[in-house]
Each structure stands twice: as C-alpha cells, then as structure tokens.
Amino acid sequence: MINSITMRQCATYDAEGVSIDNCPKINFIYGPNGSGKSTISNYLQNTSEAMYSNCKIQWENDITAELVVYNRRFRERNFKGNIAGVFTLGAATIEDIKRLEELKVEREKRYLELKNRKAALQRQEAELTTCKNDFKQTVWNVILKENEKDFQEAFTGLRSNKDKFRDEVIKKYNVNHDSSETRDTLKKRALKLFSEKPEKCAPIDLSIDELINKLIVIENDDIWEKIIVGNKDVPIAKLIDFLNNADWVNRGRAFINKDGYCPFCQQKTISEDFKEQLDSFFSGEYEENIKYIGAIIPQYKEISEQLYSTLQSVLNNEKFINISGIDIEKYNTKKDLLSKLFSGNLSEMTSKEKEPGIRVRIQESKIVILELKSMIISANDSIAAHNEIVDHFNAEKNKLIDDIWTFLLDEQDALISGYLNDLKNFDKALCGIKRGIKSFEDQVTELDKHIIEAEKNITSVQPTVDEINRSLKAYGFDNFEIVASTENKNSYQIKRPDGTLATNTLSEGEETFISFLYFLQLAKGSTDITKVSSHKILVIDDPICSLDSTILYIVSAMVKDLIVRVKEGKSDVEQLFILTHNVFFHKEASFIDGRTPEDKNVNYWVIYKGSNISNIKPYGMKNPIKTSYELLWQELKDCTSGSLITTQNIMRRIIENYFGMLGNRKYDYVAKKFKTIEEQMICKSLFYWINDGSHTIPDDFYIDSYSDSVEKYKKVFREIFVVTGHKAHYDMMMGAESGL
C-alpha cells in the first residue's frame, strides 16, 4: 500500500509542494476542475516521467504494488484500434481452480508474513536510529560539552557535527580506553601545549659545589672556638693573663713609638726590654693565628657573595620563574635566611679577628644552601622537561590529545560499552529479520512461478469479453459489443451489430462507460498473463464526465461494490484512490453505510487552488462534501486569493441555484429590489460580469482590467441577498455573525 504521495514542482504544485499522508485502503480526493487532480493521477500512471522527478511515493514497508490508473489518458490510450485483452480466469476443472486457489492462499500467507517481517525491520531500524541518536546526544553533552573548556583543541574539527563526533568516539574507543592519567595533570599539560608554541629556556648554572665545600671548611674551622693567647714564657705574660687584657694590649702595640712614650699614659715608660717582652708575647703561634683569621675572612666573604649572587640570579630571570614554576615565596624566605646567616657569620669572624681571645659561634650555612640548591635543581628539571616539549612540540601535543581522549573515554566506559553491546544486539536482530525477509521473498517468488504456470492453463481473455458485453446489454447499450480481435491474438475490438468497427463512432458517454468496464476487468486480471493475480492499487479519476444520470448511478454502484470488496480484503486490489470534481458522484460513491459515516479505512481530502498554486486539505475520516450548493458557498469563502474566473463562476451558480429554488426568479426581479437606478445598474453589471467571466475566458488585458473588480462585486453580491430579504441566508452560508 501507499503511505503517502508528495507532489512538488510540477504543473500547479510549487517547490514547497503538498503531501497526501496516512493513506488507508480507501482515499477520496475532491477538487474542482483545474485544481490539480489530474496531475496526481497522471503522476501515478507514469511515475518515471521527467516532469515528476521531484514527486515521491512512500510505500508501506517498502513493498510496491502495481498501479492501475483510470483517467482521460487511459481512455485515449486503450480505445484506439485494437484493445489489449485482459486475462482473467476462464474455464477449468474444479481441481485446477482448487489448486490455483490453494496456491493463492499460500502465497497470501507468505506475502503477509513478508509484510510483517518488513514492518518488524522498519520498527527495529527505527529503534536503532533512536538508540544512535540518543547516544549521539549523550556523548555530545558528557564528553564534548563538559570538557571543551579545558580540552577544546582535542575536539578540533568535531565541534559542529554530532554524527561525526559520535563516530570518532567509537573509533577511538576501539583503539584505547584504558587511562592512567589524572584530569589535573592533563589540564596542566593542556595549558602549555594548547597555546602558542613556547620558547626554550636556559637552566640556572649550578657549578657551585666547590664554593660550597670551601664555605663549609671555613665555617667548620676550629679557629673560631680557639682562645688565642700569647707566649707564656715571657715575664709580662703573667700580668697580661692576670689582667685578661691581651687583645687590648695587642691593639695598643701599634701605637708604641721608638721614643719610649706609652700611647695610653703618655709617659716615657716603654723601655726596650718592655717592648721586646710585648713583641715576644704576641709572636709565634699567636701571630700566625691572627694572620690565618685575617686571611680566611676575605675568602669567606668572597665565596658567600658568589654563592648569593648565583642564588639571586634566579629572581632576576622572570622567564625561568614562569616556566619552572619554582616557589618564589619559599625561595625568597630561604635566600633571605642565608643572607642573614652569611652576615652574622662575617660579623662573628670580624669580632674574632679583633679579639682573638674570645670564642665565636659560626652558623653552618650548608643546610640552607642545599635546600636552595634542591629547589633550583627541581626547577631546572622542569625547564628540561619544558625544553623537551619545545623540541618535540607537535609530537607532545598529539600525544596529549591522545591521552585526553583515552582519559575521557575511560571515564565514560560504561556508557560506551553499553551502547556497543546494544549495537551488537540490534545487528543480530536485524540479521535475523533480514534472513526471514529473504526467505519469505524467495517463497513468494517461487509461489508466483507456480501460480503463473497454473494460470497459463486456465486464464483467458474470453471471460473479460463476456463480462463486459453482459454489462453493456444489462444497462441498455445494445448497438455495439466487444469481441475478440481477428487481427491480433488476445486483444479486443468494438463492433456494431452490422459488423462494422465502432471504435471511432462511439459517443463520449459510450466510450467513457465501456472504458470504465474495461478498467474494472483490469482490476480482476491483467493484460500480462504473468500478473493476473498480482496485488494492485487502483486510481479512478472522474469516471462519470459524460454519463447520463442513469449510468452515473450504475458507475457509482460499481465503485461502491469495489470499495466494499477492497475494505473486506476480497479483492486483489489493496488500495483505492478516487478523484472527482462531481459532488453527486462523490456523495454516491462515499455513502457505503449511513450508520457508520466514519471509517478508519476511509480518508478524505479536498484540493483547492489559489494564486494558481494547488494545495490540499486533509479531513481525515470526516467527509467534507455535503451538497454541491453548500460546496459553492465554501469555495466562495475560500476564494480570498482565487482567480477572477473562478469567483465569477461561483457567484453565477449560487444565484442561479438559490433564486431558482425560490420560483425561478429572473435577474430583472432581483435588480428591481435595489432602490435607485444607479444601484440597479450596478446589480445588472454584476450579472453581466459573472455570466461573461464564467462562460468565456477573457484575454490578458481584459482580465487585468477586471481583476480589481472582484472585491467590489463581492459587496454587490452580498447586497443582493440583503435587498431581497435573504440576508440571514447569506450570513448562515458565509458563517458571518448577525449584522455583518
């Protein structure tokens, strides 16, 4: 069956197009002439025509069926010269017919199973699509959206296409999803690698071990704890020792002159002997110790200044600080502590030099220096790692991206593995259904072969001849009949009782009726012997164009019978589309059971045209067509943007119908209801306008000159009902509120 028909970019259907959706077994499509009905039937008759390249048929479960279309083209094609014979079941034994029926029943079972399998396939594929879409949206949110702020560059080329991103997730998951990284580590790497390529940085030179060793030797020298005294063997030693003023005396020695005057009391008390005793007291070991102290203090100062300068250089290198990430606050604290330590030690050493006889405490700087050195070594390690990254920037960047993906996929392992497991289950189910479809397709094909072979022996064109002729005689067409052609096998000719061919002498009504009888036979069989029992979809486009009232009832009855059989599944016809502009035929054909006006097997549509564009309105199971008179008013209401000619025609038919029912009132009667001569003339001009426009087609200039008159004459049309006392009827039919 057909699910939907889309008409687009052909005839009066524009680029937007229209769709006839949710088509059941029986489909009624009403539309005035010129609205676009025949375009639909012509398309269904030959879907491969180039002009219908933008039109489309959506088949149920993708199972197609044979389309048989009755329209003007059908009549023109089939009733010129020899008519192709329709193969139907002829005379045969009971056993032959029984065997054929059994094959058809079996084939129908297999066909229904095939439809069920294809329906199941569509459901499964729909569920698979839903599963893929749900997963696509989920990974988009939890992997990309939640992480693109930190790891944006890892998603380059994937942030604008959800399908592409989903596929990349699966691709990378199948490669690796086992991560040992942490989010913080990846974020730090990303800060470096997802920016502009950095520059290399030189490490801090730490060739200071020798200086440190020298410094430690000086700081640990025993001299600082040693009490330095003079020669004990000198007579004056006891006095100096008693007074405990050796350092004071030693400093005063520098002020002793050769004239013998004491530098302190300024008396001539310094003898040569006294001077010699002083020199002897401070000579030897004492003097050596003093010289030693005087020598190592400058060494210590120089070494400490070199070390401090090296350590200070770290703070002067902003690039080093930024890249290495060294803890500057901690480093400064240690450096300041070392500076104080050096200063204190130098102060103590200077005191020792001035007063060799005292003990001084020298603090060891080794621990603080080594702590600072350790910080610089660690920072240099960071610099080395940074420089390594710079040297291999692109490779490191790509590795980071891989590590990020591995980490994120590891985070969502349960989600992704669950989805992949679902895909496996879907694949298994789909493979099973497809195997079933293939099996039933093969079975149907095989049964079709058997049916064709069985039908070859019992099919014939003669039953069609007999059936058509019976119908012709029954309905009073006795001046011609259909007979088997003597010229072409399995074809027909139409002959008069005198034996002459009647093909070119049939009236339009006769040709229409016999062509419809022929079409109904096609519904039972086929011009192709191999398709006698094939499933069909019938399209009937206005079968009563030129029929008298009697035949109209007959054709309507035939169509109603066909509808019943289709609805009950008692025909090879699966689906029926009926298109018509005739309200009476529409009502007759659609009235099957008055007690059940709505039927799930029947849907209705109305085609209308505005601004030369065809549109279609669905009505579902509710029949929109009541009477032709009501329909005229409905068309007038809908004609807001309709053509001039359409509006003229509708107005004329309404006035003729309504005032005809009131006693065949003439135009003059209506015109005289207007009070003034001017108003009467305007009314008469309306009558002239609607009659002229509805019976003839004016040229372009004429149309243009009158197109502005539509709205004016609509007002006059309303006023006719007002002045004749029938305003209530106008308001009722137009759906207007009282007083408008």
Side-chain angles (χ1 to χ4, degrees), residues 26-55:
I26 310 300
N27 303 272
F28 283 96
I29 302 174
Y30 175 86
N33 282 330
S35 61
K37 294 190 315 306
S38 294
T39 303
I40 297 175
S41 71
N42 290 337
Y43 164 59
L44 296 176
Q45 191 171 53
N46 190 357
T47 57
S48 61
E49 279 192 39
M51 68 175 294
Y52 304 120
S53 59
N54 294 299
C55 301

PDB file of all heavy atoms in Angstrom, residues 26-55:
ATOM      1  N   ILE A  26      -9.050   3.135   1.405  1.00  0.00           N
ATOM      2  CA  ILE A  26      -9.915   3.917   0.522  1.00  0.00           C
ATOM      3  C   ILE A  26      -9.614   5.401   0.721  1.00  0.00           C
ATOM      4  O   ILE A  26      -9.620   5.901   1.848  1.00  0.00           O
ATOM      5  CB  ILE A  26     -11.405   3.655   0.807  1.00  0.00           C
ATOM      6  CG1 ILE A  26     -11.694   2.146   0.852  1.00  0.00           C
ATOM      7  CG2 ILE A  26     -12.269   4.351  -0.238  1.00  0.00           C
ATOM      8  CD1 ILE A  26     -11.382   1.404  -0.424  1.00  0.00           C
ATOM      9  N   ASN A  27      -9.375   6.126  -0.393  1.00  0.00           N
ATOM     10  CA  ASN A  27      -8.992   7.525  -0.326  1.00  0.00           C
ATOM     11  C   ASN A  27      -9.823   8.343  -1.316  1.00  0.00           C
ATOM     12  O   ASN A  27      -9.735   8.126  -2.528  1.00  0.00           O
ATOM     13  CB  ASN A  27      -7.502   7.683  -0.636  1.00  0.00           C
ATOM     14  CG  ASN A  27      -6.624   6.855   0.292  1.00  0.00           C
ATOM     15  OD1 ASN A  27      -6.226   7.295   1.363  1.00  0.00           O
ATOM     16  ND2 ASN A  27      -6.317   5.616  -0.124  1.00  0.00           N
ATOM     17  N   PHE A  28     -10.624   9.280  -0.795  1.00  0.00           N
ATOM     18  CA  PHE A  28     -11.441  10.167  -1.624  1.00  0.00           C
ATOM     19  C   PHE A  28     -10.743  11.531  -1.709  1.00  0.00           C
ATOM     20  O   PHE A  28     -10.430  12.142  -0.690  1.00  0.00           O
ATOM     21  CB  PHE A  28     -12.838  10.354  -1.047  1.00  0.00           C
ATOM     22  CG  PHE A  28     -13.750   9.185  -1.274  1.00  0.00           C
ATOM     23  CD1 PHE A  28     -13.913   8.222  -0.298  1.00  0.00           C
ATOM     24  CD2 PHE A  28     -14.446   9.048  -2.465  1.00  0.00           C
ATOM     25  CE1 PHE A  28     -14.749   7.136  -0.499  1.00  0.00           C
ATOM     26  CE2 PHE A  28     -15.291   7.962  -2.675  1.00  0.00           C
ATOM     27  CZ  PHE A  28     -15.441   6.999  -1.692  1.00  0.00           C
ATOM     28  N   ILE A  29     -10.534  11.999  -2.943  1.00  0.00           N
ATOM     29  CA  ILE A  29      -9.907  13.302  -3.163  1.00  0.00           C
ATOM     30  C   ILE A  29     -10.828  14.127  -4.042  1.00  0.00           C
ATOM     31  O   ILE A  29     -11.048  13.795  -5.210  1.00  0.00           O
ATOM     32  CB  ILE A  29      -8.524  13.161  -3.816  1.00  0.00           C
ATOM     33  CG1 ILE A  29      -7.603  12.301  -2.935  1.00  0.00           C
ATOM     34  CG2 ILE A  29      -7.902  14.538  -4.048  1.00  0.00           C
ATOM     35  CD1 ILE A  29      -6.261  11.985  -3.574  1.00  0.00           C
ATOM     36  N   TYR A  30     -11.405  15.192  -3.483  1.00  0.00           N
ATOM     37  CA  TYR A  30     -12.316  16.052  -4.229  1.00  0.00           C
ATOM     38  C   TYR A  30     -11.585  17.328  -4.624  1.00  0.00           C
ATOM     39  O   TYR A  30     -10.773  17.876  -3.876  1.00  0.00           O
ATOM     40  CB  TYR A  30     -13.547  16.411  -3.392  1.00  0.00           C
ATOM     41  CG  TYR A  30     -14.446  17.410  -4.094  1.00  0.00           C
ATOM     42  CD1 TYR A  30     -15.408  16.988  -4.995  1.00  0.00           C
ATOM     43  CD2 TYR A  30     -14.295  18.766  -3.867  1.00  0.00           C
ATOM     44  CE1 TYR A  30     -16.202  17.905  -5.667  1.00  0.00           C
ATOM     45  CE2 TYR A  30     -15.097  19.685  -4.529  1.00  0.00           C
ATOM     46  CZ  TYR A  30     -16.047  19.250  -5.440  1.00  0.00           C
ATOM     47  OH  TYR A  30     -16.832  20.158  -6.112  1.00  0.00           O
ATOM     48  N   GLY A  31     -11.909  17.832  -5.838  1.00  0.00           N
ATOM     49  CA  GLY A  31     -11.357  19.098  -6.285  1.00  0.00           C
ATOM     50  C   GLY A  31     -12.026  19.564  -7.546  1.00  0.00           C
ATOM     51  O   GLY A  31     -12.339  18.754  -8.430  1.00  0.00           O
ATOM     52  N   PRO A  32     -12.272  20.866  -7.681  1.00  0.00           N
ATOM     53  CA  PRO A  32     -12.871  21.387  -8.913  1.00  0.00           C
ATOM     54  C   PRO A  32     -11.943  21.154 -10.102  1.00  0.00           C
ATOM     55  O   PRO A  32     -10.747  20.902  -9.943  1.00  0.00           O
ATOM     56  CB  PRO A  32     -13.021  22.890  -8.614  1.00  0.00           C
ATOM     57  CG  PRO A  32     -12.862  23.034  -7.143  1.00  0.00           C
ATOM     58  CD  PRO A  32     -12.001  21.921  -6.685  1.00  0.00           C
ATOM     59  N   ASN A  33     -12.505  21.258 -11.284  1.00  0.00           N
ATOM     60  CA  ASN A  33     -11.682  21.157 -12.481  1.00  0.00           C
ATOM     61  C   ASN A  33     -10.607  22.235 -12.463  1.00  0.00           C
ATOM     62  O   ASN A  33     -10.871  23.396 -12.143  1.00  0.00           O
ATOM     63  CB  ASN A  33     -12.543  21.309 -13.741  1.00  0.00           C
ATOM     64  CG  ASN A  33     -13.301  20.037 -14.060  1.00  0.00           C
ATOM     65  OD1 ASN A  33     -12.858  18.929 -13.764  1.00  0.00           O
ATOM     66  ND2 ASN A  33     -14.471  20.179 -14.692  1.00  0.00           N
ATOM     67  N   GLY A  34      -9.383  21.822 -12.825  1.00  0.00           N
ATOM     68  CA  GLY A  34      -8.278  22.765 -12.837  1.00  0.00           C
ATOM     69  C   GLY A  34      -7.566  22.928 -11.514  1.00  0.00           C
ATOM     70  O   GLY A  34      -6.631  23.719 -11.390  1.00  0.00           O
ATOM     71  N   SER A  35      -7.992  22.184 -10.507  1.00  0.00           N
ATOM     72  CA  SER A  35      -7.390  22.340  -9.181  1.00  0.00           C
ATOM     73  C   SER A  35      -6.101  21.554  -9.031  1.00  0.00           C
ATOM     74  O   SER A  35      -5.311  21.833  -8.124  1.00  0.00           O
ATOM     75  CB  SER A  35      -8.383  21.923  -8.088  1.00  0.00           C
ATOM     76  OG  SER A  35      -8.744  20.551  -8.253  1.00  0.00           O
ATOM     77  N   GLY A  36      -5.867  20.551  -9.875  1.00  0.00           N
ATOM     78  CA  GLY A  36      -4.644  19.758  -9.793  1.00  0.00           C
ATOM     79  C   GLY A  36      -4.873  18.271  -9.576  1.00  0.00           C
ATOM     80  O   GLY A  36      -3.906  17.536  -9.317  1.00  0.00           O
ATOM     81  N   LYS A  37      -6.135  17.802  -9.713  1.00  0.00           N
ATOM     82  CA  LYS A  37      -6.441  16.371  -9.509  1.00  0.00           C
ATOM     83  C   LYS A  37      -5.752  15.504 -10.551  1.00  0.00           C
ATOM     84  O   LYS A  37      -5.077  14.502 -10.221  1.00  0.00           O
ATOM     85  CB  LYS A  37      -7.953  16.112  -9.595  1.00  0.00           C
ATOM     86  CG  LYS A  37      -8.804  16.672  -8.597  1.00  0.00           C
ATOM     87  CD  LYS A  37     -10.213  16.162  -8.650  1.00  0.00           C
ATOM     88  CE  LYS A  37     -10.821  16.113 -10.053  1.00  0.00           C
ATOM     89  NZ  LYS A  37     -10.812  17.308 -10.829  1.00  0.00           N
ATOM     90  N   SER A  38      -5.945  15.889 -11.810  1.00  0.00           N
ATOM     91  CA  SER A  38      -5.432  15.055 -12.889  1.00  0.00           C
ATOM     92  C   SER A  38      -3.911  14.957 -12.871  1.00  0.00           C
ATOM     93  O   SER A  38      -3.350  13.954 -13.316  1.00  0.00           O
ATOM     94  CB  SER A  38      -5.907  15.593 -14.244  1.00  0.00           C
ATOM     95  OG  SER A  38      -7.318  15.469 -14.364  1.00  0.00           O
ATOM     96  N   THR A  39      -3.248  15.971 -12.350  1.00  0.00           N
ATOM     97  CA  THR A  39      -1.786  15.914 -12.229  1.00  0.00           C
ATOM     98  C   THR A  39      -1.382  14.750 -11.326  1.00  0.00           C
ATOM     99  O   THR A  39      -0.400  14.058 -11.588  1.00  0.00           O
ATOM    100  CB  THR A  39      -1.233  17.234 -11.659  1.00  0.00           C
ATOM    101  OG1 THR A  39      -1.645  18.319 -12.493  1.00  0.00           O
ATOM    102  CG2 THR A  39       0.291  17.201 -11.605  1.00  0.00           C
ATOM    103  N   ILE A  40      -2.179  14.541 -10.266  1.00  0.00           N
ATOM    104  CA  ILE A  40      -1.896  13.430  -9.353  1.00  0.00           C
ATOM    105  C   ILE A  40      -2.071  12.094 -10.064  1.00  0.00           C
ATOM    106  O   ILE A  40      -1.217  11.210  -9.983  1.00  0.00           O
ATOM    107  CB  ILE A  40      -2.799  13.509  -8.104  1.00  0.00           C
ATOM    108  CG1 ILE A  40      -2.503  14.779  -7.307  1.00  0.00           C
ATOM    109  CG2 ILE A  40      -2.616  12.270  -7.224  1.00  0.00           C
ATOM    110  CD1 ILE A  40      -3.437  14.999  -6.128  1.00  0.00           C
ATOM    111  N   SER A  41      -3.210  11.915 -10.768  1.00  0.00           N
ATOM    112  CA  SER A  41      -3.460  10.645 -11.446  1.00  0.00           C
ATOM    113  C   SER A  41      -2.455  10.405 -12.567  1.00  0.00           C
ATOM    114  O   SER A  41      -2.021   9.269 -12.785  1.00  0.00           O
ATOM    115  CB  SER A  41      -4.895  10.595 -11.984  1.00  0.00           C
ATOM    116  OG  SER A  41      -5.081  11.470 -13.086  1.00  0.00           O
ATOM    117  N   ASN A  42      -2.069  11.480 -13.279  1.00  0.00           N
ATOM    118  CA  ASN A  42      -1.078  11.331 -14.342  1.00  0.00           C
ATOM    119  C   ASN A  42       0.279  10.900 -13.780  1.00  0.00           C
ATOM    120  O   ASN A  42       0.989  10.092 -14.383  1.00  0.00           O
ATOM    121  CB  ASN A  42      -0.926  12.635 -15.121  1.00  0.00           C
ATOM    122  CG  ASN A  42      -2.154  12.949 -15.960  1.00  0.00           C
ATOM    123  OD1 ASN A  42      -2.932  12.053 -16.310  1.00  0.00           O
ATOM    124  ND2 ASN A  42      -2.348  14.227 -16.276  1.00  0.00           N
ATOM    125  N   TYR A  43       0.635  11.452 -12.624  1.00  0.00           N
ATOM    126  CA  TYR A  43       1.887  11.049 -11.988  1.00  0.00           C
ATOM    127  C   TYR A  43       1.848   9.580 -11.587  1.00  0.00           C
ATOM    128  O   TYR A  43       2.790   8.821 -11.850  1.00  0.00           O
ATOM    129  CB  TYR A  43       2.161  11.920 -10.763  1.00  0.00           C
ATOM    130  CG  TYR A  43       3.209  11.346  -9.836  1.00  0.00           C
ATOM    131  CD1 TYR A  43       4.502  11.081 -10.281  1.00  0.00           C
ATOM    132  CD2 TYR A  43       2.902  11.047  -8.501  1.00  0.00           C
ATOM    133  CE1 TYR A  43       5.461  10.542  -9.429  1.00  0.00           C
ATOM    134  CE2 TYR A  43       3.845  10.507  -7.653  1.00  0.00           C
ATOM    135  CZ  TYR A  43       5.126  10.257  -8.120  1.00  0.00           C
ATOM    136  OH  TYR A  43       6.062   9.708  -7.282  1.00  0.00           O
ATOM    137  N   LEU A  44       0.751   9.149 -10.964  1.00  0.00           N
ATOM    138  CA  LEU A  44       0.628   7.753 -10.537  1.00  0.00           C
ATOM    139  C   LEU A  44       0.591   6.802 -11.727  1.00  0.00           C
ATOM    140  O   LEU A  44       0.988   5.645 -11.615  1.00  0.00           O
ATOM    141  CB  LEU A  44      -0.619   7.582  -9.665  1.00  0.00           C
ATOM    142  CG  LEU A  44      -0.609   8.354  -8.339  1.00  0.00           C
ATOM    143  CD1 LEU A  44      -1.939   8.180  -7.614  1.00  0.00           C
ATOM    144  CD2 LEU A  44       0.536   7.895  -7.445  1.00  0.00           C
ATOM    145  N   GLN A  45       0.118   7.311 -12.868  1.00  0.00           N
ATOM    146  CA  GLN A  45       0.065   6.492 -14.073  1.00  0.00           C
ATOM    147  C   GLN A  45       1.461   6.258 -14.652  1.00  0.00           C
ATOM    148  O   GLN A  45       1.746   5.192 -15.202  1.00  0.00           O
ATOM    149  CB  GLN A  45      -0.836   7.158 -15.113  1.00  0.00           C
ATOM    150  CG  GLN A  45      -1.169   6.268 -16.308  1.00  0.00           C
ATOM    151  CD  GLN A  45      -2.222   6.906 -17.179  1.00  0.00           C
ATOM    152  OE1 GLN A  45      -2.082   8.044 -17.610  1.00  0.00           O
ATOM    153  NE2 GLN A  45      -3.327   6.209 -17.417  1.00  0.00           N
ATOM    154  N   ASN A  46       2.318   7.257 -14.529  1.00  0.00           N
ATOM    155  CA  ASN A  46       3.683   7.137 -15.058  1.00  0.00           C
ATOM    156  C   ASN A  46       4.631   7.919 -14.157  1.00  0.00           C
ATOM    157  O   ASN A  46       4.944   9.072 -14.417  1.00  0.00           O
ATOM    158  CB  ASN A  46       3.753   7.646 -16.493  1.00  0.00           C
ATOM    159  CG  ASN A  46       5.092   7.320 -17.157  1.00  0.00           C
ATOM    160  OD1 ASN A  46       5.995   6.761 -16.536  1.00  0.00           O
ATOM    161  ND2 ASN A  46       5.208   7.677 -18.424  1.00  0.00           N
ATOM    162  N   THR A  47       5.087   7.273 -13.118  1.00  0.00           N
ATOM    163  CA  THR A  47       5.923   7.947 -12.115  1.00  0.00           C
ATOM    164  C   THR A  47       7.323   8.257 -12.628  1.00  0.00           C
ATOM    165  O   THR A  47       8.054   9.035 -12.008  1.00  0.00           O
ATOM    166  CB  THR A  47       6.045   7.081 -10.839  1.00  0.00           C
ATOM    167  OG1 THR A  47       6.588   5.801 -11.192  1.00  0.00           O
ATOM    168  CG2 THR A  47       4.681   6.887 -10.186  1.00  0.00           C
ATOM    169  N   SER A  48       7.702   7.668 -13.748  1.00  0.00           N
ATOM    170  CA  SER A  48       9.059   7.862 -14.259  1.00  0.00           C
ATOM    171  C   SER A  48       9.189   9.061 -15.185  1.00  0.00           C
ATOM    172  O   SER A  48      10.301   9.361 -15.640  1.00  0.00           O
ATOM    173  CB  SER A  48       9.538   6.601 -14.982  1.00  0.00           C
ATOM    174  OG  SER A  48       8.702   6.307 -16.095  1.00  0.00           O
ATOM    175  N   GLU A  49       8.081   9.746 -15.505  1.00  0.00           N
ATOM    176  CA  GLU A  49       8.170  10.909 -16.373  1.00  0.00           C
ATOM    177  C   GLU A  49       9.068  11.973 -15.747  1.00  0.00           C
ATOM    178  O   GLU A  49       9.046  12.205 -14.540  1.00  0.00           O
ATOM    179  CB  GLU A  49       6.782  11.490 -16.637  1.00  0.00           C
ATOM    180  CG  GLU A  49       5.998  10.765 -17.720  1.00  0.00           C
ATOM    181  CD  GLU A  49       4.761  11.525 -18.158  1.00  0.00           C
ATOM    182  OE1 GLU A  49       4.856  12.762 -18.250  1.00  0.00           O
ATOM    183  OE2 GLU A  49       3.718  10.901 -18.404  1.00  0.00           O
ATOM    184  N   ALA A  50       9.841  12.641 -16.579  1.00  0.00           N
ATOM    185  CA  ALA A  50      10.818  13.619 -16.108  1.00  0.00           C
ATOM    186  C   ALA A  50      10.168  14.758 -15.335  1.00  0.00           C
ATOM    187  O   ALA A  50      10.749  15.263 -14.372  1.00  0.00           O
ATOM    188  CB  ALA A  50      11.610  14.172 -17.293  1.00  0.00           C
ATOM    189  N   MET A  51       8.972  15.178 -15.744  1.00  0.00           N
ATOM    190  CA  MET A  51       8.333  16.303 -15.073  1.00  0.00           C
ATOM    191  C   MET A  51       7.953  16.002 -13.628  1.00  0.00           C
ATOM    192  O   MET A  51       7.697  16.923 -12.853  1.00  0.00           O
ATOM    193  CB  MET A  51       7.081  16.734 -15.851  1.00  0.00           C
ATOM    194  CG  MET A  51       5.946  15.733 -15.842  1.00  0.00           C
ATOM    195  SD  MET A  51       4.448  16.382 -16.648  1.00  0.00           S
ATOM    196  CE  MET A  51       3.985  17.719 -15.541  1.00  0.00           C
ATOM    197  N   TYR A  52       7.931  14.698 -13.255  1.00  0.00           N
ATOM    198  CA  TYR A  52       7.579  14.316 -11.894  1.00  0.00           C
ATOM    199  C   TYR A  52       8.803  13.904 -11.071  1.00  0.00           C
ATOM    200  O   TYR A  52       8.682  13.197 -10.064  1.00  0.00           O
ATOM    201  CB  TYR A  52       6.564  13.167 -11.914  1.00  0.00           C
ATOM    202  CG  TYR A  52       5.307  13.465 -12.696  1.00  0.00           C
ATOM    203  CD1 TYR A  52       4.944  12.688 -13.802  1.00  0.00           C
ATOM    204  CD2 TYR A  52       4.484  14.522 -12.347  1.00  0.00           C
ATOM    205  CE1 TYR A  52       3.809  12.954 -14.527  1.00  0.00           C
ATOM    206  CE2 TYR A  52       3.335  14.804 -13.068  1.00  0.00           C
ATOM    207  CZ  TYR A  52       2.998  14.022 -14.159  1.00  0.00           C
ATOM    208  OH  TYR A  52       1.850  14.295 -14.875  1.00  0.00           O
ATOM    209  N   SER A  53       9.982  14.381 -11.478  1.00  0.00           N
ATOM    210  CA  SER A  53      11.221  13.955 -10.813  1.00  0.00           C
ATOM    211  C   SER A  53      11.275  14.376  -9.347  1.00  0.00           C
ATOM    212  O   SER A  53      11.997  13.778  -8.552  1.00  0.00           O
ATOM    213  CB  SER A  53      12.434  14.507 -11.561  1.00  0.00           C
ATOM    214  OG  SER A  53      12.386  15.930 -11.604  1.00  0.00           O
ATOM    215  N   ASN A  54      10.516  15.420  -8.974  1.00  0.00           N
ATOM    216  CA  ASN A  54      10.509  15.886  -7.586  1.00  0.00           C
ATOM    217  C   ASN A  54       9.330  15.350  -6.780  1.00  0.00           C
ATOM    218  O   ASN A  54       9.161  15.695  -5.614  1.00  0.00           O
ATOM    219  CB  ASN A  54      10.506  17.418  -7.547  1.00  0.00           C
ATOM    220  CG  ASN A  54      11.786  18.011  -8.100  1.00  0.00           C
ATOM    221  OD1 ASN A  54      12.873  17.760  -7.579  1.00  0.00           O
ATOM    222  ND2 ASN A  54      11.674  18.772  -9.185  1.00  0.00           N
ATOM    223  N   CYS A  55       8.516  14.528  -7.413  1.00  0.00           N
ATOM    224  CA  CYS A  55       7.396  13.893  -6.715  1.00  0.00           C
ATOM    225  C   CYS A  55       7.842  12.555  -6.124  1.00  0.00           C
ATOM    226  O   CYS A  55       8.846  11.984  -6.528  1.00  0.00           O
ATOM    227  CB  CYS A  55       6.215  13.693  -7.668  1.00  0.00           C
ATOM    228  SG  CYS A  55       5.598  15.238  -8.413  1.00  0.00           S
TER     229      CYS A  55
END
